[in-house]
Amino acid sequence: MNKATTIIPVIILVNACIWGFAMVMSSHKLSGTDAYQLIQPILSGSAGVSLLVVGGGLAGLAKKLKSKE
């Protein structure tokens, strides 16, 4: 799992799972209501985690590839 061709799809898959969880939880909270305040923490938390996973993962990958040069 050290190759870039393996790490990039894993990063993308984890990010997709985070957003899938956000969508499922949002729909669960919204069932029967119309209050945005219930889903705002879920969506903002997922956006933050997504930023960390994708940004950190790709930054780590870039650092790893640069050290091999």
Side-chain angles (χ1 to χ4, degrees), residues 4-33:
T5 56
T6 305
I7 295 172
I8 291 173
V10 169
I11 292 170
I12 293 169
L13 182 63
V14 169
N15 187 49
C17 289
I18 291 167
W19 281 108
F21 176 75
M23 286 184 260
V24 169
M25 292 306 295
S26 296
S27 66
H28 174 71
K29 287 285 187 179
L30 283 175
S31 62
T33 68

Side-chain angles (χ1 to χ4, degrees), residues 1-11 57 61-62 64-65 68:
M1 192 164 156
N2 294 334
K3 292 184 177 182
T5 56
T6 305
I7 295 172
I8 291 173
V10 169
I11 292 170
L61 180 62
K64 186 174 189 175
L65 292 175
K68 287 185 178 182

